[in-house]
Amino acid sequence: MTQPSLPELLHAAVTAVGGTERPGQVAMAEAVAEAIDDGAHLLVQAGTGTGKSLGYLVPALAHGERVVVATATLALQRQLVERDLPRTVEALHPILRRRPEFAMLKGRSNYLCLHRLHEGVPQDEEEGLFDQFEAAAPTSKLGQDLLRLRDWSDETETGDRDDLTPGVSDRAWSQVSVSSRECLGATKCAYGAECFAEAARERAKLAEVIVTNHALLAIDAIEGAPVLPQHEVLIVDEAHELVSRVTGVATGELTPGQVNRAVRRAAKLVNEKAADQLQTAAEGFERLMELALPGRLEEIPEDLGYALMALRDACRTVISAIGSTRDKSVQDEDAVRKQALASVESVHDVAERITHGSEWDVVWYERHEPRGGGAYRHSGASLRVAPMSVSGLLREKLFTDRSVVLTSATLKLGGDFNGVGASLGLGPEGAEGDDLPLWKGVDVGSPFDYPRQGILYVAKHLARPARDGDRKDMLDELTELIQAAGGRTLGLFSSMRAAQLAAEDLRSRIPEYPILLQGEETLGELIKNFAADPRTCLFGTLSLWQGVDVPGPSCQLVVMDKIPFPRPDDPLMSARQKAVEEAGGNGFMAVAATHAALLMAQGAGRLVRASGDRGVVAVLDPRLATARYGSYLKASMPDFWYTTDRNQVRKSLAAIDAAAKQPD
């Protein structure tokens, strides 16, 4: 019997989801199929509207091997599991003559823990557990959330937090969930047979396609103990986010609050000598953290080094003592002991890592002061440690024994894939060596006609932005652009402070155009309100550069206040830049310019989300037009028609606004 052809399968899947087959999607599917057949690695840039999920799902399902699909966002995970996969499997079933199973798998803390729910939560100050439902006032927000969770536990089939609508606060969820370190284990838990997290893992073992997130993929790579089932193909969607997500998972943090919590949890479970040793070490660490330490700690100050070694050694003593001491007077001792052990081990591991002093780690001190706008709920200090680079880790752990496909709308920076490839641990495209995985990059284009649909405007006449300086000329320009556009503006700012100042200034200047500000409502509410009223503007920072999908007339002007280089005092970025320079490379281009190019490519991509969209991306930073690196940044963005003529842009915006107001 002849095998069904890829075009036949793709056509059936596209028809099933109600889409339109596009040349870029066909080219992508063919490239993915070839990579899987050859066991090769592929980077695919697929512009917005290409239909890239089917571009990789169809060839993966056709091949018949187990596939893991990792995404960065919950929205895409939901789209895959609730829409794309069910319809695609149904459409391909009669052609493939089999029905591939699929499942979603997340970290353990994403699932409701029945032991926590029914037996209570280990408390820090006293022995045993307490009933969180009795402790929280039923009229309080926490109490109401907990009651909803108890009712939901009887209805849910998955126990997955993201299936609970509307959601609950992090505080409430923490009362009914556990980390992998805190889990008793299915064989030791009275609720192991009913465990939601274990059920999800079992479903994943039986599935041909497993949808997960970048964080779990990183944990699977970093921790050595496999979390994901064995698989032959790995597809990483939203791959531009992978390096930052892996870095986040590989970053350790130590705070006085975290250390004191470990002290309280362990105190009742160990002998007095071990408890006193940990208490003394915690007090010494807390005293030092109250001092004004510099940002990056290239060398650990001597007194801090001694404090960390004392903390590490005290944790080690307590870990041994917890394992050898039993106290039957403690209610549900195993759960209390497991949580205490998890807290102490976490402190030990970070203290050990910092005192070990690897040349591949960056250590820095942060102090968070209370600020307006809800940026921080409380002040505090922390020590953080992160890998200088995750490229070696990714090269060793990601590109071994399986075919890897990475895809995103923004993987080509400055016109090629090599910048992103280097961050993933890959050599130049086509290069082959003993420790360099062979890969190729494919740009399948976009269904949108960017030069006709959008304008890239650079305000060349403005003064060069100074750090934290007054930018009255920029605010004047922004005001005029919003007026010309009739609102309809997404303002992408390089810092929260800049977004807040701009919102405050423009609310008094142009009150007829409502300005929404990130942080004043949930992101979902802000985007919903922005899309509902074309006269509205939405201002914010990092998550808006990548997380807004508003096709149609509500978003016809995207403004970037300045090129989003990392802050000069960012410890990790500056350390990475310095390392490149010491190795003889161009640290600015490899780190700062690449970071900015990726954000600008993502930010500019907010403008055109559908074939009928029209508008302007305005960059209010003259360096994009005047600096040598400007051409690299522009080459990373969609191929919009380019101008520095402010009058032409105002006329174009006014015309787009007038057209949007015309009845259909």
Side-chain angles (χ1 to χ4, degrees), residues 208-223:
E208 188 173 308
V209 179
I210 300 134
V211 178
T212 188
N213 52 43
H214 290 182
L216 200 65
L217 179 64
I219 291 167
D220 190 68
I222 292 167
E223 296 193 351

Side-chain angles (χ1 to χ4, degrees), residues 356-486:
H356 180 258
S358 167
E359 63 178 306
W360 306 113
D361 272 343
V362 179
V363 181
W364 70 97
Y365 170 92
E366 282 184 359
R367 176 163 289 282
H368 309 307
E369 301 295 347
R371 297 182 188 174
Y376 296 107
R377 288 171 291 186
H378 53 79
S379 62
S382 64
L383 270 185
R384 307 195 78 190
V385 54
M388 178 80 75
S389 167
V390 295
S391 58
L393 172 74
L394 291 172
R395 177 172 60 247
E396 179 187 348
K397 302 290 188 180
L398 210 66
F399 297 96
T400 308
D401 302 327
R402 58 186 167 189
S403 174
V404 183
V405 174
L406 301 108
T407 184
S408 165
T410 48
L411 289 180
K412 276 178 83 171
L413 301 179
D416 63 47
F417 291 93
N418 287 329
V420 168
S423 72
L424 296 166
L426 302 171
E429 184 174 0
E432 204 167 357
D434 292 339
D435 62 343
L436 288 178
L438 187 64
W439 64 281
K440 75 172 184 176
V442 175
D443 181 0
V444 300
S446 167
F448 303 139
D449 188 347
Y450 285 124
R452 288 182 176 274
Q453 289 185 249
I455 297 171
L456 172 60
Y457 163 59
V458 181
K460 189 178 177 182
H461 60 284
L462 295 180
R464 182 185 174 120
R467 186 179 171 190
D468 298 329
D470 177 25
R471 297 197 66 198
K472 184 179 179 302
D473 61 342
M474 184 275 288
L475 293 172
D476 292 342
E477 181 81 8
L478 179 56
T479 302
E480 292 176 18
L481 289 169
I482 290 173
Q483 288 174 319

Side-chain angles (χ1 to χ4, degrees), residues 14 18 92 113 119 145 179 200 236 271 335 358 380 390 472 525 545 551 578 589 606 616 623 635 650-651 656 661:
V14 170
L92 300 189
C113 171
E119 303 300 331
D145 280 350
S179 67
V236 182
N271 59 64
S358 167
V390 295
K472 184 179 179 302
E525 278 297 306
W545 289 74
K578 183 179 177 183
M589 289 303 295
R606 302 308 99 201
V616 172
R623 293 175 294 177
R650 280 165 184 66
K651 288 177 187 173
I656 293 167
K661 289 174 180 173

